[in-house]
Amino acid sequence: MSTPNPIRGETLSVPALGNRLTVQVERAGTGPPVVFFHGAWGLQWDPFLEGLARQYTVYAPRLPGTGTDPNAIYQLDGLWDLVFVVGEVLDSLGVGRAALVGHSFGGMLAAEAAAHWPDLPRRVALIAPLGLWSADRPIANWMAVLHQQDLIKLLFLDPASPAVGWAFPTASDPQEQALLQARRVWAMGCSGKFWWPIPDRGLSKRLHRVRAPTLLVWGKQDAVVPASYAQDFARAIPHARTVLVEGANHFPHLERLDTVLPTILDFLQ
């Protein structure tokens, strides 16, 4: 079977905060809009997004600071600044009632947007989102993991999985590889500004406001955000259902692309 040609996308520069901030947004595909919020490790155009873009127009905003201007993160003082930037960016994109999809930290951000503007999303898919906290089920502190191989062992069920290369691409050139790692660490630092050390910013008090049908996707072997949090989200969101994915850690959409991509595509219809 032949491999389909990659979908060509473009990078949009969207002003926010009264033109004090520019947010880079990757756009690709055709069809109804889907907005994807990336995790704490920065945005990679991976096979999951490629699969979404074959049926939808995918908009993937880069967290301020992880785009072309690393200093952009300093324009934001806290989570609410970021949530309002998301609202301004979606308004500027004119995506209307888009579906929202988010992974990990991006799942928390998608949930905040869906709670703050209940009429905005058509559907919401949250993949192992942050945002809730229970002291008896601590969320792994990946910010304290210094070496990339240890981080990969924490995040992925199989460190040899192709998913690792999709999420954490490498380069043969040492300088380019060092730059990739520096950008990843900086992305972790930028996202940490909004959730670290404990990702409880009161989301549990707002989840009841999410009106859109919501799908929660979790790896059964998630060693970062335990899968039991899926039930906490499901109890708090009125129209939510949960899919637990066997054979996946914290990146179920990449580790089990064969299962999760068609599940989410079906849900978004």
Side-chain angles (χ1 to χ4, degrees), residues 114-167:
H116 198 78
W117 296 285
D119 295 327
L120 169 69
R122 182 176 60 82
R123 298 210 165 216
V124 178
L126 306 176
I127 305 168
L130 298 180
L132 302 184
W133 171 262
S134 177
D136 62 342
R137 292 171 290 156
I139 291 169
N141 181 13
W142 64 74
M143 303 284 273
V145 180
L146 300 179
H147 300 291
Q148 178 164 305
Q149 288 308 311
D150 293 332
L151 183 62
I152 288 171
K153 290 177 182 176
L154 173 66
L155 296 173
F156 296 89
L157 193 62
D158 177 8
S161 164
V164 176
W166 298 333

Side-chain angles (χ1 to χ4, degrees), residues 159-240:
S161 164
V164 176
W166 298 333
F168 289 4
T170 58
S172 56
D173 179 76
Q175 286 189 328
E176 188 175 349
Q177 176 63 21
L179 184 58
L180 285 172
Q181 288 186 266
R183 286 174 175 163
R184 192 169 303 127
V185 171
W186 182 244
M188 290 166 59
C190 289
S191 60
K193 184 171 185 175
F194 308 104
W195 71 266
W196 191 84
I198 293 177
D200 182 358
R201 298 295 186 270
L203 179 60
S204 63
K205 303 172 186 174
R206 299 182 284 275
L207 284 176
H208 69 280
R209 291 170 50 83
V210 178
R211 296 179 191 156
T214 300
L215 180 68
L216 298 156
V217 178
W218 233 284
K220 280 189 177 179
Q221 290 81 27
D222 196 323
V224 178
V225 185
S228 59
Y229 277 102
Q231 295 307 312
D232 297 345
F233 273 89
R235 279 193 291 268
I237 299 174
H239 306 289

Side-chain angles (χ1 to χ4, degrees), residues 235-260:
R235 279 193 291 268
I237 299 174
H239 306 289
R241 67 181 177 92
T242 301
V243 173
L244 298 179
V245 183
E246 185 64 56
N249 189 339
H250 194 56
F251 280 73
H253 59 306
L254 298 183
E255 296 176 276
R256 292 301 311 275
L257 179 70
D258 60 328
T259 297
V260 175

